[in-house]
Amino acid sequence: MGLILSPKSGRVLEVSAVIYSAVLLVCAYTILLGGLPYNLMVEIQEISKRNFETLKYCWISEGLGKPNDKLAFTTIYVLPALLKILGADLSLACLTLLTALWSLGGCSTYLLAKRFSKNYLAGLAAMLIYLGAATSLRGFWCSLDVSALYVLTLIILLITDEAYQKRKASYGFYAALTSTILSGTLVKLDNLAVLTFTVLAYFAVRIRRENVELKHAALFLTIAGASWLIMNAWWLAVPPSLNVENFNPLCVVVFPITALTLMLLLRIDKLDAAQALALIASAILLMDPREIISSNIPLNVLAIISVDVTLLVAAGLKRFSDIFSNYISISLVVGESGDKSKEYDLTKPLIFLLALGVVLYQGLTAPLLWASGLNIPEHYKELNSLITPRDHRILTIPVLTGGYCYNWSSVRFRKPVESLILDNPIIYGCEFTALNDLTGRGESWKILSALNVKFIVLHYDIIRDEAQTVDPRIMEIRLNYSFIVSPNLANGSVNVTSEDVKPILEDLGFIQLVNFNSEKRYGAEIRHVEEEAAQSKIHLYAYGESWISELANLNQTFSFAYILPRVANWLDYNYLEFWIKVNGSEAASIQIQDVFGRWALWQLNLKEHEWNLVAIRLNDATMDNGLDRSRVVAVVFSIHAPLESIVEAEVGGIFLDKGIIFESKPLELHEKLNQQLTVYRLRDEFELSKIYSVKEVLKSEGDIFKDFLKSEFDPRNVAYSNTEVEHVSYAELDYVEVEPTRYRVTVYNFQDRFLVILNEKFDSGWTLYVGEPNPIDILTGGGPRNVKHVKINGFLNGWYVEAGDFKPLTLTIVYRPQPLLEVLRVTSTVSAVSSFIILFFKKKAARMLKHIKTYGEKT
């Protein structure tokens, strides 16, 4: 007696079987492939540390390290955060999301393949291929948006085919609703284009093969597009907007690939055995066992190819097994001979098993982008207790570009590990690489203060050979030393009035050429200038041609030396300062040599055709060959230039400097963690608040970091402007953070014009209003009067405020996209909720009308 199931029970059993198979596959792959996908774990780690409070704000401070840049509030991103709130650890959150998406994709593949092939076995084969093929495993879990695209492609195809079967353009609304629920994939324009081309390909094939009206297809796409725009309006109107950066035109190939796939699927029953076998073989090759496809095409296109190939293999197997079973039959007889025995045809299952074995073997043996779990050392997690979340930033040293390689991990990190662990914004990236050297300067506290950096985290666990960066131990020496002694500089010159500064040209040594082309024009002399220039009336002057040398440090340079009149002891001095002007090159170096021929070298970057004041720290050479500073005999100047290039150099005053000893160190050692991390802390008296005012505004000369190091700059009183420079008065102010995108500022003492600085990355969305702004003005972009928005200190927001006589003055700083975001988010939420309600009552109303009609006919 057979078991008879109702249609609903059968469908529930089908879905349950698919989910159970997906769960088993997830567990099998995570064991066999060495753990959960690394890239997925990193992305979930970044998302799960955020809570729903931070998710509701619209941030734009990408360059200065805000942790939730370009984060969309969607189902696929909210789930990890929700799991974290419920107490799940990283591995469990990752495994749960992996299983959910994989199950959803497996169910959709099963239903779609069964719909096209009208065969349960083909649907099951398609599901296993979709979940276990090399293309899926290699590209599926590189990021959440690509994972969502894999799943979404199948669901949209199902909805589109259902719309065609029932001739209902309103199914375009269902497509938009599904896209909204899994809309993590649609924050990028190329992903949206891929999905749109897939739907277009479907209708193009249907219109070509059957009598489908073009207006029906156009209406479907119009309803889908309009519904999606309404339900996702807040994405498109405010940052982060639809991501159009790095749009790949290769997405267009989705249209012909999907169209060809659908054409083959619709005529699969007309193929003979040889054609079906050729289709299967070609499709299996497209599953990319040697990474030829996946390494050369975008992942979103790979997602469509994976879906298309899966459907082709399943349909081709079904057709080939139908034909093959007509010629060869393999049966299994169960029971005694006679009426009670049962015979099962094994031909089709064996063909399916053989092809599935080939595909799944490819998936298990092909090189994958998977790695073991995200095993971050415990001492990184200890940073959470040391560095509490506040408005300040954290600078990671050394600053690297192109990835972070740690000696405890085989994986290259895109960002420093602190970005995964801490809630504070992290400063890193190529625009800050200059800080590797500048943090060794005594004035570098000004950079830290201006950029609101409270902590410096120095790494010892970076693999320097791959990172090609400065030795962290040298950097620690610089950090410790630089805040004890700084050079005697004032107003862009050497402070020659100090007793700690000693000029050395007055001792009247002599000049000597060291490396030059003796066959060409050359010369060297000590000049006496009538009017003092470069803080000296005695100058060294030399010219000649860059030439080769057996000494690597002199090769391809024009070099000359100033020979001291006697052996000198420089141990009591910390700096050598000199003026130099070069024509013909901007690269130079200086060597100091002792009586034994040993030397130390410092690299210089100069501006051509003008005087450069250079200050080198004597105990911090670029290269040190064992220099004995108690027996110095010569200073060698080398100008680096291509061979046979004529260069000339003039050196003005040269000074030895003991330096200035700080009474209070701006930077202090905070903690050492497991000999791998050293944390420094900027003292409170050098720290700036989130919103502040200054006494003076100066014009930036282009390199903001060099501007920060100038003697006239104190971030507590002075600011640099990239554009307008206006006279300002100092203003005493207090502020209250209403929320992270809205501040209320009260200004007490001021005269006429003053400058208000907000320590957030410059963006035109930040707006300052005098008084409490009108909500209509905020939403419509009505600009405030007597206020001018400018970029301050290279990165930050500043406003010149023309104040009246009324005191105290109330100001409001608003990030304008945030209220607009709230309005559009409400619109999107109401639209989505209304859609569910309409769907529910529409079906309920239809059932009631049918019941009333039936009742009327009976009566």
Side-chain angles (χ1 to χ4, degrees):
M1 184 175 178
L3 179 65
I4 300 176
L5 297 174
S6 66
K8 284 187 177 181
S9 300
R11 285 195 292 270
V12 170
L13 186 62
E14 279 185 56
V15 172
S16 300
V18 170
I19 293 175
Y20 181 71
S21 303
V23 171
L24 288 179
L25 278 171
V26 171
C27 296
Y29 278 121
T30 53
I31 294 171
L32 294 173
L33 299 176
L36 292 164
Y38 164 75
N39 288 334
L40 183 65
M41 292 191 76
V42 169
E43 193 163 359
I44 290 179
Q45 171 82 335
E46 291 178 343
I47 293 169
S48 62
K49 73 174 185 178
R50 303 159 192 157
N51 51 42
F52 290 101
E53 183 69 18
T54 58
L55 281 170
K56 76 178 186 180
Y57 294 115
C58 178
W59 296 101
I60 40 77
S61 299
E62 183 179 6
L64 292 179
K66 275 299 179 187
N68 53 341
D69 293 331
K70 298 184 178 178
L71 179 66
F73 189 76
T74 58
T75 308
I76 197 169
Y77 289 109
V78 171
L79 182 58
L82 180 60
L83 289 170
K84 179 67 178 297
I85 291 173
L86 295 175
D89 61 12
L90 176 64
S91 296
L92 181 59
C94 186
L95 189 63
T96 303
L97 186 62
L98 188 71
T99 305
L101 286 175
W102 217 331
S103 301
L104 186 57
C107 290
S108 303
T109 311
Y110 172 80
L111 294 173
L112 192 61
K114 191 180 76 169
R115 176 183 285 268
F116 279 114
S117 62
K118 299 177 177 61
N119 183 272
Y120 287 95
L121 196 57
L124 183 63
M127 182 199 74
L128 294 174
I129 293 170
Y130 170 81
L131 298 176
T135 46
S136 296
L137 292 173
R138 195 171 290 130
F140 211 144
W141 308 114
C142 285
S143 65
L144 284 178
D145 60 332
V146 175
S147 304
L149 186 64
Y150 270 87
V151 176
L152 195 55
T153 303
L154 294 157
I155 299 176
I156 295 300
L157 275 175
L158 273 172
I159 293 172
T160 307
D161 190 61
E162 187 70 20
Y164 162 74
Q165 299 289 349
K166 294 187 175 181
R167 294 297 195 274
K168 288 186 177 180
S170 61
Y171 270 74
F173 169 76
Y174 298 121
L177 194 61
T178 306
S179 300
T180 302
I181 294 172
L182 275 176
S183 51
T185 182
L186 298 181
V187 293
K188 295 182 179 178
L189 182 60
D190 48 1
N191 287 350
L192 182 59
V194 162
L195 213 59
T196 305
F197 285 133
T198 301
V199 176
L200 284 172
Y202 177 89
F203 278 117
V205 172
R206 286 297 194 181
I207 289 170
R208 176 182 176 274
R209 292 186 52 81
E210 301 182 27
N211 188 22
V212 178
E213 295 183 5
L214 180 61
K215 65 179 182 181
H216 174 78
L219 190 58
F220 176 93
L221 291 169
T222 301
I223 292 174
S227 301
W228 185 84
L229 282 170
I230 293 172
M231 287 185 284
N232 295 276
W234 64 280
W235 276 1
L236 304 177
V238 297
S241 61
L242 191 66
N243 187 356
V244 298
E245 297 176 2
N246 303 320
F247 176 79
N248 196 329
L250 197 59
C251 295
V252 179
V253 304
V254 167
F255 182 84
I257 291 173
T258 306
L260 179 61
T261 299
L262 292 169
M263 289 175 66
L264 288 170
L265 289 175
L266 293 174
R267 66 182 302 270
I268 196 74
D269 291 334
K270 299 180 181 179
L271 300 182
D272 57 31
Q275 291 172 332
L277 190 60
L279 177 65
I280 296 168
S282 303
I284 289 177
L285 286 176
L286 283 174
M287 287 178 178
D288 199 22
R290 296 186 178 274
E291 299 186 84
I292 297 173
I293 296 175
S294 58
S295 59
N296 290 287
I297 66 172
L299 289 173
N300 44 24
V301 177
L302 182 66
I304 305 301
I305 290 178
S306 181
V307 170
D308 291 341
V309 168
T310 297
L311 296 174
L312 286 177
V313 172
L317 283 173
K318 189 260 181 185
R319 178 58 180 163
F320 181 76
S321 63
D322 287 342
I323 299 172
F324 190 79
S325 61
N326 293 331
Y327 298 96
I328 298 175
S329 178
I330 303 173
S331 300
L332 175 66
V333 178
V334 179
E336 299 177 0
S337 59
D339 296 337
K340 294 183 179 181
S341 63
K342 290 186 179 181
E343 183 178 355
Y344 297 95
D345 184 9
L346 299 182
T347 308
K348 294 180 181 179
L350 286 175
I351 292 173
F352 275 94
L353 284 175
L354 182 63
L356 287 176
V358 174
V359 173
L360 297 179
Y361 176 77
Q362 279 186 190
L364 287 173
T365 57
L368 301 175
L369 298 177
W370 289 38
S372 57
L374 190 65
N375 299 316
I376 298 175
E378 287 297 323
H379 57 266
Y380 276 94
K381 299 176 183 178
E382 291 178 26
L383 286 173
N384 280 316
S385 59
L386 292 175
I387 303 175
T388 55
R390 280 180 55 194
D391 287 332
H392 55 248
R393 299 183 175 93
I394 297 167
L395 173 64
T396 62
I397 292 290
V399 180
L400 306 180
T401 57
Y404 289 71
C405 302
Y406 297 97
N407 55 28
W408 46 264
S409 174
S410 60
V411 181
R412 181 184 291 268
F413 286 73
R414 300 189 306 270
K415 302 176 182 178
V417 176
E418 290 89 332
S419 64
L420 301 178
I421 298 297
L422 302 175
D423 291 328
N424 298 75
I426 311 297
I427 290 184
Y428 65 93
C430 68
E431 63 183 328
F432 299 106
T433 51
L435 298 181
N436 286 329
D437 296 323
L438 297 181
T439 46
R441 298 280 297 273
E443 305 88 347
S444 61
W445 70 268
K446 301 176 182 179
I447 301 176
L448 305 179
S449 180
L451 298 182
N452 201 18
V453 175
K454 181 67 174 179
F455 294 96
I456 294 179
V457 179
L458 180 64
H459 289 261
Y460 288 98
D461 54 354
I462 289 175
I463 302 177
R464 291 200 300 113
D465 293 339
E466 295 191 33
Q468 296 182 348
T469 187
V470 184
D471 188 339
R473 288 171 176 78
I474 295 177
M475 300 190 75
E476 184 167 11
I477 293 172
R478 291 177 180 175
L479 283 170
N480 288 328
Y481 183 81
S482 63
F483 292 106
I484 300 173
V485 179
S486 66
N488 266 295
L489 303 179
N491 300 319
S493 300
V494 180
N495 184 10
V496 294
T497 61
S498 172
E499 295 180 355
D500 295 326
V501 175
K502 175 188 176 183
I504 64 173
L505 283 182
E506 295 178 357
D507 291 341
L508 296 177
F510 61 94
I511 190 170
Q512 175 183 327
L513 292 176
V514 176
N515 188 59
F516 63 102
N517 186 354
S518 59
E519 297 179 359
K520 296 293 180 69
R521 189 168 67 94
Y522 61 89
E525 60 178 317
I526 297 180
R527 292 179 173 178
H528 187 279
V529 295
E530 294 182 359
E531 295 185 6
E532 184 175 279
Q535 293 190 271
S536 178
K537 288 189 175 183
I538 302 172
H539 288 197
L540 308 179
Y541 177 76
Y543 65 91
E545 186 176 283
S546 176
W547 199 236
I548 56 177
S549 172
E550 295 180 357
L551 301 174
N553 54 313
L554 296 179
N555 189 37
Q556 202 169 322
T557 69
F558 169 71
S559 302
F560 62 97
Y562 176 66
I563 311 298
L564 301 178
R566 66 188 68 85
V567 177
N569 183 354
W570 288 7
L571 284 177
D572 292 335
Y573 296 94
N574 293 302
Y575 290 91
L576 180 71
E577 296 139 8
F578 58 92
W579 291 89
I580 183 170
K581 180 165 61 175
V582 175
N583 296 327
S585 178
E586 293 183 346
S589 62
I590 180 174
Q591 293 179 49
I592 298 175
Q593 296 183 351
D594 63 22
V595 71
F596 305 108
R598 294 173 298 202
W599 50 268
L601 178 144
W602 291 259
Q603 298 287 353
L604 310 176
N605 291 314
L606 308 175
K607 290 185 178 180
E608 197 176 357
H609 308 303
E610 63 181 70
W611 284 109
N612 298 265
L613 175 58
V614 179
I616 63 170
R617 187 181 299 128
L618 293 174
N619 70 340
D620 182 24
T622 307
M623 297 175 61
D624 194 333
N625 193 31
L627 172 68
D628 183 353
R629 285 200 285 135
S630 67
R631 294 177 174 85
V632 176
V633 295
V635 181
V636 180
F637 299 90
S638 299
I639 314 303
H640 298 259
L643 291 176
E644 300 183 357
S645 297
I646 297 291
V647 296
E648 60 178 345
E650 186 173 358
V651 178
I654 305 176
F655 307 92
L656 285 169
D657 185 2
K658 293 181 180 179
I660 303 172
I661 299 176
F662 279 96
E663 295 180 1
S664 174
K665 293 174 60 176
L667 204 66
E668 61 184 8
L669 179 64
H670 189 58
E671 190 70 43
K672 283 184 175 288
L673 298 174
N674 198 28
Q675 303 300 315
Q676 296 294 315
L677 300 176
T678 302
V679 182
Y680 290 90
R681 174 179 174 274
L682 188 69
R683 294 170 65 94
D684 294 341
E685 58 264 36
F686 297 96
E687 187 180 358
L688 289 174
S689 63
K690 186 70 171 287
I691 300 174
Y692 62 99
S693 180
V694 294
K695 298 177 181 178
E696 185 180 3
V697 180
L698 303 177
K699 176 70 174 178
S700 174
E701 296 182 0
D703 190 334
I704 190 62
F705 294 120
K706 289 185 178 179
D707 290 338
F708 285 155
L709 297 178
K710 291 180 179 178
S711 59
E712 62 267 26
F713 177 69
D714 184 335
R716 296 165 292 188
N717 299 311
V718 180
Y720 283 102
S721 172
N722 292 53
T723 51
E724 300 91 343
V725 174
E726 299 185 13
H727 175 74
V728 296
S729 62
Y730 180 73
E732 294 181 10
L733 55 85
D734 289 328
Y735 72 94
V736 175
E737 181 180 314
V738 180
E739 56 185 26
T741 54
R742 190 183 187 97
Y743 299 88
R744 186 173 294 110
V745 183
T746 303
V747 188
Y748 297 102
N749 294 319
F750 56 87
Q751 295 178 354
D752 302 326
R753 185 188 303 113
F754 59 90
L755 179 69
V756 176
I757 300 173
L758 171 67
N759 208 309
E760 287 280 2
K761 185 183 178 183
F762 181 84
D763 187 271
S764 58
W766 286 106
T767 309
L768 183 143
Y769 297 90
V770 177
E772 193 66 28
N774 187 330
I776 302 300
D777 288 339
I778 296 177
L779 294 176
T780 59
R785 298 178 181 178
N786 301 325
V787 172
K788 186 185 295 183
H789 193 189
V790 293
K791 183 183 288 188
I792 295 295
N793 288 342
F795 301 96
L796 311 177
N797 296 274
W799 292 270
Y800 289 117
V801 181
E802 300 285 348
D805 297 330
F806 183 77
K807 299 179 183 180
L809 184 66
T810 300
L811 307 174
T812 305
I813 299 176
V814 179
Y815 183 57
R816 276 196 57 250
Q818 181 67 37
L820 185 59
L821 172 80
E822 299 299 336
V823 171
L824 295 175
R825 180 177 283 149
V826 169
T827 303
S828 299
T829 304
V830 170
S831 176
V833 172
S834 301
S835 303
F836 281 112
I837 294 173
I838 291 170
L839 286 175
F840 175 77
F841 282 106
K842 180 181 178 183
K843 291 182 179 180
K844 190 173 182 180
R847 287 196 298 269
M848 290 179 63
L849 288 173
K850 184 178 179 181
H851 178 74
I852 292 171
K853 183 177 180 182
T854 305
Y855 178 78
E857 291 175 352
K858 288 181 179 180
T859 56

